[in-house]
Amino acid sequence: MNFARDPWVLHVDLDQFIAAVEVLRHPELAGKPIIVGGRGDPTERAVVSTASYEARAFGVGSGMPLRIAARKAPDAVLLPVDADAYTAASHDVMATLKEQPGAVVQVLGWDEAFIGIATGDPEAYARDIQRAVLERTRLHCSVGIGDTLVRAKVATGFGKPRGVFRLTEANWIEVMGDRPTIDLWGVGAKVSRRLAALGITTVSELAAADNEPLIAEFGPKMGPWYGQLGRGEGAREVDDTPWVARGHSRETTYQTDLVTPAEVEEAARELVARVQEDIEAEARPVVGLTLKVRYAPFSTKVFTKKIPETADAGVVLERAMELVGRIDANRPIRLLGFRAEMAMPDDARGGHTPTRSGW
């Protein structure tokens, strides 16, 4: 085999990205537990956007209510979210990745990307990436190496922090086989419970599972896909086609519950208006709407509606308010979210996530 011609997938993931950016801005915080979320005020309703490794040691994690995080780590420094700063830092990182020799870069978000490369020594290439990112941005990253996008993504977790790890067909079962299915990229708590009901609790059991029970539980597309995921299989080529958003969404957590129909309607109309501002520049018709409602104290419902293609803001608002009409008027509301899904252009990358056999 000519290793110099072998293609590899590298997954680059910045270590504790948001917290690391904050430390660069505030060097005196280095080594301290840092929690970033909302406006940095634990008396307000907000969730943790990120926590430094030092804060994670106290059990603090992303998505946790800020007030609970503050109780778990009482000595932590709480900071407000500064999206502009994180976007600027991310831009520098991704520009650095795109400058690497022979790299095909598929950006996944603020803090991670896939890189397609042909090399005989992917570990050395990964270390070069780490050095280049550190020199330009002063940020550390971990790199997963794989022969599929799925394996590269999963491998990164074994390299954190600041490390490199290779995961391929040759060692997939050895490394992942005894782990619970929830450790797979793309399997959350609900899916893992449904798999457990089928007698599938580990990655090796999922990898060996017949399609029939998976199809019966998850459908003809998702069932086989979960089996494929258990084997670490999927797309092998990194696609640098620019990502086109399927939709835009906004949500607001209210410091005081919404309790009257008038309050709910006003808040919903404001959210819809903000989303419509986001999609105006896209010049694509809206084809679907989603309304997220979180009732007090913490019960969430999601309502969806497919609509005929329309670029008429008045029609979108009218259909959105039909969803609002499904809200339980007798329950206080602490959060509302609204999403508008748009028609995709013909040349857009297909699919939703790179795990599903490509974009």
Side-chain angles (χ1 to χ4, degrees):
M1 181 180 294
N2 185 353
F3 288 96
R5 298 175 62 86
D6 278 355
W8 292 95
V9 178
L10 276 59
H11 176 254
V12 179
D13 195 358
L14 291 160
D15 296 330
Q16 55 174 9
F17 171 61
I18 293 176
V21 172
E22 293 293 354
V23 169
L24 291 181
R25 303 167 76 193
H26 309 285
E28 70 277 8
L29 300 182
K32 296 182 179 180
I34 299 170
I35 300 171
V36 181
R39 295 188 293 189
D41 185 348
T43 66
E44 296 183 349
R45 289 175 173 175
V47 298
V48 175
S49 294
T50 196
S52 66
Y53 292 131
E54 293 82 4
R56 294 178 199 180
F58 290 92
V60 177
S62 299
M64 177 180 292
L66 206 57
R67 58 182 175 79
I68 294 177
R71 287 206 300 264
K72 285 180 173 289
D75 295 328
V77 178
L78 275 70
L79 298 172
V81 173
D82 187 343
D84 289 343
Y86 314 143
T87 298
S90 174
H91 178 272
D92 289 343
V93 171
M94 299 309 163
T96 303
L97 298 183
K98 292 174 181 178
E99 292 169 358
Q100 302 311 299
V104 177
V105 180
Q106 181 174 324
V107 178
L108 297 183
W110 263 346
D111 60 349
E112 61 178 327
F114 285 115
I115 295 180
I117 185 64
T119 177
D121 191 345
E123 278 79 9
Y125 194 96
R127 294 295 182 189
D128 287 343
I129 287 174
Q130 291 175 316
R131 282 192 291 271
V133 170
L134 183 61
E135 288 174 4
R136 178 165 175 174
T137 69
R138 295 184 293 156
L139 294 169
H140 291 278
C141 62
S142 300
V143 182
I145 300 170
D147 48 2
T148 67
L149 274 66
V150 170
R151 292 184 184 126
K153 169 72 173 180
V154 175
T156 313
F158 293 98
K160 281 190 169 292
R162 306 183 184 185
V164 174
F165 192 86
R166 184 193 295 202
L167 192 55
T168 67
E169 181 180 8
N171 66 337
W172 173 257
I173 292 299
E174 176 188 349
V175 174
M176 293 295 297
D178 292 335
R179 292 180 172 270
T181 58
I182 199 171
D183 284 0
L184 290 169
W185 183 34
V187 174
K190 291 182 180 179
V191 171
S192 67
R193 287 195 294 268
R194 291 170 68 182
L195 288 170
L198 298 176
I200 300 171
T201 59
T202 67
V203 172
S204 60
E205 289 170 346
L206 180 57
D210 292 333
N211 272 339
E212 286 75 9
L214 293 175
I215 290 173
E217 178 66 25
F218 299 104
K221 291 185 178 180
M222 294 304 297
W225 178 73
Y226 282 121
Q228 173 183 292
L229 196 61
R231 297 185 292 276
E233 297 171 352
R236 295 175 179 268
E237 293 186 9
V238 175
D239 183 356
D240 60 356
T241 304
W243 176 248
V244 177
R246 287 186 171 271
H248 288 286
S249 60
R250 295 276 188 163
E251 69 176 43
T252 299
T253 298
Y254 303 99
Q255 298 308 313
T256 303
D257 292 341
L258 306 178
V259 294
T260 69
E263 289 176 330
V264 174
E265 180 175 343
E266 181 182 0
R269 286 179 178 272
E270 180 181 345
L271 275 179
V272 173
R274 291 169 61 194
V275 171
Q276 288 184 328
E277 290 177 359
D278 293 337
I279 65 177
E280 277 181 0
E282 304 270 355
R284 288 185 281 145
V286 175
V287 297
L289 306 174
T290 300
L291 178 68
K292 177 181 177 182
V293 183
R294 179 162 295 149
Y295 299 107
F298 210 82
S299 172
T300 304
K301 293 284 290 184
V302 176
F303 306 103
T304 61
K305 175 191 286 289
K306 294 294 182 183
I307 65 173
E309 289 191 6
T310 180
D312 188 323
V315 173
V316 172
L317 175 60
E318 181 181 350
R319 297 292 180 264
M321 297 314 292
E322 290 173 0
L323 286 179
V324 174
R326 298 171 63 181
I327 292 175
D328 186 342
N330 297 315
R331 301 178 67 181
I333 293 171
R334 59 178 292 154
L335 175 148
L336 284 178
F338 178 70
R339 172 180 170 85
E341 183 176 320
M342 298 171 288
M344 297 295 284
D346 293 338
D347 59 351
R349 188 186 291 165
H352 295 271
T353 68
T355 55
R356 297 187 185 178
S357 300
W359 291 78

